[in-house]
């Protein structure tokens, strides 16, 4: 109970004393590990498993945060943008851990079982876009979704994309990762009537400006179904797609 | 039946002759009005009402397209970025028409009845952002959604936003329109566990660069629930939000 | 005979005296109209009809230049980016003149007869791109080419483009005009094995930055057949396409 | 036979059964090597030898793809942006291979014999632009063209360029590579009446912005014969030039 | 006495001779160490301790400048953007020295005692912003201010920020360091009625453009209390905040 | 009493009932005028007079808001970026109103009397920068500060600036408005030991990019005393300067 | 006598009293017209005639400043970026005045007689660049230089430029105005051994970005003789060229 | 004799035969070393010593070019942007060579004696700008100029700059190198009546964008005496300054 409104209602209902209410308002809803404040109640607030952004942490730090979360009731924790060493450190700490190489994600604990029939489709333009696509795909899997992949279906070989049309058109939400001219989300977005989350990738050279060109192209998509996340942000795209897919549970 | 695969299956099943199949492949699924090719079968392909982008057309052209669509079975057509004159032209052509002033949208025919309990929430930062927010809200309404509005709740007066928290947190999808520093989607995105569609607006001056600063800020949102559409693209945001809301039907 | 080498050879061959050679070297190969130097020998050097860029000239100036060129042997002169008034002025000066409205081109004299069987294909994404596409198409026609048009075939409705595939794939060179995300040249470029000249248009809003996004996207095309000209430069694209088509004469 | 239309015609003509047609529509026209899908029928569709972009692949991967292509009927395969090691790996695999150092291209198999009298001219501004120019030149050679080179003829020493004028003016198509201010294509484009493919290079410092300045300058060329490809994209320029040269065969 | 006006007044008052005045005007108010001119009178002119920008100097150079300043009357000198080695070099030179790790600042001599009750608050969005925040905080401490820190209170978890509201609202001036979308200064600026110095940090990836997005967002803050310094310029922010805090002495 | 914490404390102290607390939490601290929500308690929260941004409102709207504020206890309201018509409308509504032409500010009610001896100095580079400087100066005056002006003292005539040095060096805070190269804040910032608020102006042409160049230059100031606000944001600079000046009251 | 050093020396020499020195230090070396401070001693300090930037002034203001300067000893004053109306106003005030149409410059008084044999050459690429070139040419003439013009000699017709080589190579300094790709200064700079002042013009469209592309290209000139001024800044270029030409007097 | 006109005159005068004229026209005025074409007659054409840009060459290549030039009559050759190793290589080849460390320039042969009394002044803002300033200073020295240096006189300590005013004001031309906000050229340019060549340096961080901010600020200088060269282009600035200084010889 961290929300001021919850606390006030409890005071009104006589469930807690005013003194307790005061203390609660002052208490901080996290465990302080020194190098990080671990938000042990976030899962409640946002309804999903905790995610650790591994890029700016040592393997030891990432694993210690994961352990704290598991001890506070998380069933599954994912560490993004990390190396294999993180996974090994986790195992040596007695945690159940699995490393997804292309996605650069370490999964601690058990991926929840899928109960839905629906699936997310993750599409990418070229083989160089696969790491970003996999980050999206694994993220969605960890968050409880079924995922189908259609990789290497760039617009310069439009027949490849069309041969995947059934898979793409049956999804509840679609993630499309593409670099260079970033044209793929527009073509995919024109084929479907579900949201398309476009991820510009930093694949390309020269006037691709490390993904800026793809980002701008995707922002200007002539398909009304397309919204965009940051360059190389496969995690964010997979996360949003999972929220859309989950919407079908209601 | 426009899809090559559908046609091929029909040939195989003996439902249509090879000659018919050929002609069908060659026939174009639109009515040609001279100044525009009206896609009379798009509703089937994408599952939603047709939308006419009014900005680059004369009132007469917009209304003629709308009329063609209504005659081909559309129950409701929306003309975006148009003036009141469009609505009057439509009425003089015998069409049932309504003009939404702030949204600059003319609605032809009848908005479908809402059958879902769920709703979309449209949020905006300042009063100058309201036209974009209204474009999103009216779009979603025309596409069959319930919509709640929380306007003028910018981050520099955070208590205003928090006093709207209940409304925001209960939505199935959220559209957030903001100009200037574009900070609002991050704050909203941290409060909820549903997708947030951020719309940068061209509101601001100087280093706002007509919405570019807001766009970039939104792309870098620290909230994982946020994806972004083009500057001032209220229509796109409302469209995507309606697809997410509709996902609850399944 | 303007080239120093030609003159030197003529001196050596005794065809002309040293005095004549000197005078020739000093003479300027143009007629000076005060407001412009008209290059009456350019056709020889570059092998095509003279083109007048009408945007920065008064109708009187454009027509006077055209008249000077016709009097110096041009059979056909084209004035680009001009208004209908130019055409009327030309007629009042006794010139044979025709105005192409959408292309904003005035044609003085007679378009050369087509002798080739080959044709150029001009493709555009949306109806707003048509003026740029027409500038390319009329330019190529004036320069002696057959031209076929495939308009309003943007990537968000990929089936429209594919239904035009025969026309596109049979051309000797292709011009593709597109604004917004500029994706169409990549898709077209992947279908053909002839050069594709991409023209970004200033069609779009917000993050289209008046054609810059389309330009950058086209520069990064994943199709190896695509090269790019300046924003809205339909004339340049038509000109280059005509040179490629003409190459078939050799 | 991959194209849906070809298949449908064959069904109509009784050449293949409906069952075969179905299977064909579903079959994928490539060999899957795990790390890449090798498009074994692309040569047919685009009419040229297959090209492997070596930059993002290990030598083993590049060579395996090349081998697969050679076994499926390619006479000559080119691996771009690769190191000498690729060539040695190819030889150790029993392939006929040659490495072009400055162009960073490995040629597998035999370059087709030249049957045309025409040639492409590759021009560059400074010695630092030579690697990009060579990529263009070797690409065109592998694709069956005669190539003449005019290197180190930058605009600040205009007499050097003019002393090469004969070579430049006799070509069927011209590639011009230049960094810094990117002025050379405009000067060359003013001398000739064939298409000029301009390649901005990343040569320069400070406000050259790794080729962006040259790219923008080339887009604004006052010569109507100039179109532009991506920064350092020598391959693309050579490819397009070869298509133009080949056009003379018709 | 370096100021021309002071010297002129002294001439007028007969305190110094014209000859001395001349010499003084010519003398340079610094000690020349060869690699740097040390401004030994700057403290007088600007009223604060001298600061050495360590990034572009060897440890030996930084320490020699510090020593010169201490010998000319400075009680405390701070070396910014330096390594631990600087501190060790200072100690080996007999100087009293302390190294603040996260702030990358070496303090030579004694931090002045605090006499004010007021304090500066340094706020940052994420743990990656802490080095910049610490540079600001330590700078202000060395310049004689009390400092309170509120770290890791980014806008996507607005309740964390609000739980720190008392601390933030009681400060005499506030420094806010944030990367990514740079939204935090707007939220903080809306809560307080004292100046907020915003420091964009280079934390982020993709479209954060190494802090440019945060900088632009902060420039467009909807809170009137916010002004901005350069990316990662914690020193400047702490310096300005200390000037504001010191203003309370008057 | 709007703050949740204030309300909770009152519940604890028995000052208000739980029912009242609930109602208070739900009540909105503003008057809704239809076109705007007027924040009648903001003065309490931020400690300054209310400011109305006139640019996006009709004169009638601005005046109605001002009237509402005056009726809710404001002694002085300022309408920025407005025309003289606003002032006349205010007078016709019976309000005491004064128009400052160059600053484009209308002052409603009475400017508070100055009780401090300290003053703010507003400096600008050229005569074209005066409107922005005046917006800052009048803002500070309305907020209760003494203001001295040093105008037209740009860096290319450094002696002019130096002849104003006494005025500049005696201020409690300094606002510097400059366009073109934006160099003036650096020179001023080197002369003083108080905060300098730099305002880039949109004065200039060509590569001044409507103030962007000045903004970037100011962000990179070599003087540690300089922070920056948005282009042409005289109001913000005057506001922040007044907060610094007011700090001397404590 | 405004310079502090001059004054100090005079005190030392007994030429002036300390009291006079003080007053002189305080006196401002300009006439204050209310809307402008006219620097009546600037000619002494910089050695050239005064220039009035007419763009931001009314004709009356410009003429009043000119009159004040003439009355304080100027022999010739030039008003830049003004309309013909300024010239007529000047004449009605009894001033000798001449208007140069293309240069948009009004000359008050008499242009000094030329005593040097040397001349400046002003070159421009196209007829649209002439206004900027004329601003440079007239500026240099007013400042006492002989000027030769070589207009309409853009790089796409290199023979035109070469036919002007004698004129260009004989100058003491060269101004080159060019828009679009801005290539001309590089070619001219390679032909000569005197300074070339390049002026980018805003001539062009699309990716010329109103002169930015030309500016960047000129900054990257491969000719070592080229320096650059702001877009359309013909006045600055003419001014600098005149300083170089004048250097020959020494 | 390379110029076509010279050759033609010689033919006319009977000095050379037509056959010789032809051969001369075809001969190339350089020595081909394989990796470079050495322009042995450039000194004649441009009137200065040859300069070798060392950055893109091996020490052996640079020295071989220098040797070739010395053998073809150069008295002094300068190699820019090189390491000390180049100097040692030159000496081991028997050349007279000297290395200027800070300027990164190797001087081969003897610097010409100075015959002029005039001098160039090289000014820089901070100690980090010294390498660029030295490149300018040494370049001018090698080209025969006297040079005076005023370093570390940035605008934030304006008194330092003013104490150097005599030196600065007496120069025939001034080079000013500055990074960060690039304000120094404007202040210097306002003090003098000779050309100021501004060199933006890449010194700075964050929003300095590696010199772009300084470059833009310098382009917008309010001083009419300032023109600009590329970022860090000390060589170009020194070269142009030497041309201006040399102009005094005439």
């Amino acid at each position: 109970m961290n929300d001021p409104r919850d606390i006030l209602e409890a005071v009104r209902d006589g469930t807690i004393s005013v003194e307790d209410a005061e203390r609660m308002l002052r208490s901080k809803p996290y465990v302080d590990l020194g190098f990080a404040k671990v938000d042990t109640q976030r899962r409640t607030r946002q309804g999903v498993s905790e995610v650790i952004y591994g890029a700016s942490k040592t393997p030891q730090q990432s694993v210690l945060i994961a352990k704290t979360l598991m001890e506070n009731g998380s069933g599954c924790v994912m560490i993004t943008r990390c190396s294999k060493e993180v996974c090994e450190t986790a195992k040596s700490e007695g945690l159940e851990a699995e490393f997804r190489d292309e996605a650069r994600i370490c999964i601690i604990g058990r991926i929840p079982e899928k109960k839905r029939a629906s699936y997310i489709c993750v599409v990418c333009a070229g083989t160089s876009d696969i790491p970003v696509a996999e980050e999206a795909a694994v993220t969605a899997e960890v968050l409880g979704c079924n995922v189908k992949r259609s990789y290497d279906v760039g617009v310069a070989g439009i027949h490849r994309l069309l041969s995947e049309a059934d898979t793409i058109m049956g999804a509840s939400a679609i993630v499309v990762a593409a670099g260079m001219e970033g044209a793929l989300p527009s073509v995919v977005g024109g084929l479907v009537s579900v949201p398309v989350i476009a991820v510009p990738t930093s694949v390309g050279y020269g006037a691709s400006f490390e993904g800026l060109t793809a980002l701008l192209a995707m922002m200007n998509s002539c398909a009304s179904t397309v919204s965009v996340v940051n360059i190389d942000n496969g995690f964010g795209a997979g996360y949003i797609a999972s929220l859309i897919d989950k919407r079908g549970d209601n």
Side-chain angles (χ1 to χ4, degrees), chain A:
Chain A
M1 188 156 52
N2 296 301
D3 194 276
R5 289 162 313 165
D6 292 348
I7 294 171
L8 188 59
E9 281 167 25
V11 168
R12 189 184 54 198
D13 301 345
T15 327
I16 60 167
S17 69
V18 166
E19 286 71 28
D20 283 351
E22 256 196 289
R23 203 181 50 246
M24 277 169 140
L25 277 169
R26 290 213 180 90
S27 77
K28 304 213 165 76
Y30 38 75
V31 175
D32 200 324
L33 298 176
F35 60 88
K37 294 169 180 150
V38 181
D39 198 338
T40 51
Q41 289 166 326
R42 190 165 182 184
R43 204 172 62 85
T44 314
R45 199 167 72 256
Q46 294 227 349
V48 294
S49 303
E50 186 74 17
V51 180
I52 300 165
Y53 183 66
S56 58
K57 302 188 181 66
T58 66
Q60 284 71 27
Q61 290 177 332
S62 292
V63 169
L64 186 46
I65 296 172
K67 208 171 176 180
T68 307
L69 288 165
M70 295 298 283
E71 289 166 6
N72 279 271
S74 287
C76 183
V77 173
M78 136 176 70
I79 306 172
T80 62
R81 305 235 170 145
C82 71
S83 65
K84 191 157 197 174
E85 192 190 346
V86 167
C87 193
E88 283 151 17
T89 305
K91 284 177 180 162
S92 73
E93 290 283 332
L95 294 167
E96 189 178 339
E98 177 192 359
F99 189 67
R100 297 290 178 89
D101 204 59
E102 279 187 310
R104 290 165 300 164
I105 288 177
C106 175
I107 304 165
I108 310 284
R110 297 209 175 171
I111 297 184
E113 268 180 66
K114 322 302 182 207
K115 299 178 201 137
R116 287 169 227 139
S118 64
Y119 67 91
I120 284 167
C121 185
V122 178
V123 181
C124 79
T127 53
S128 305
D129 301 316
I130 290 178
V132 175
E134 274 299 300
E135 192 182 64
V138 172
T139 294
E141 286 171 343
V142 171
L143 295 171
C145 300
N146 297 302
V147 174
K148 296 194 181 177
R149 290 153 169 90
S150 290
Y151 289 174
D152 201 8
V153 293
V155 297
I158 199 72
H159 67 300
R160 285 195 192 177
L161 176 63
L162 296 180
S163 72
E164 302 273 341
D166 273 352
T167 303
I168 291 169
M169 292 169 81
S172 63
I174 300 170
V175 171
V176 182
M180 300 173 80
E181 79 271 65
L184 189 55
S186 291
V187 178
V188 170
L191 293 175
V192 299
S193 55
V194 297
V196 172
I197 319 299
V199 197
T201 72
S202 52
V203 169
Y205 65 92
S208 84
F209 301 123
E210 313 204 347
L212 177 58
T213 292
L215 186 158
L216 292 174
M218 290 169 179
M219 296 301 311
N220 285 281
S221 176
C222 51
S224 310
T225 47
V226 175
S227 62
V228 189
V229 295
N230 199 0
I231 299 163
D232 291 336
N233 186 10
F235 165 70
Y239 188 102
I240 294 169
S242 80
L243 295 179
I244 297 168
D245 187 54
K246 197 178 69 173
R247 167 88 184 122
D249 297 351
N250 302 347

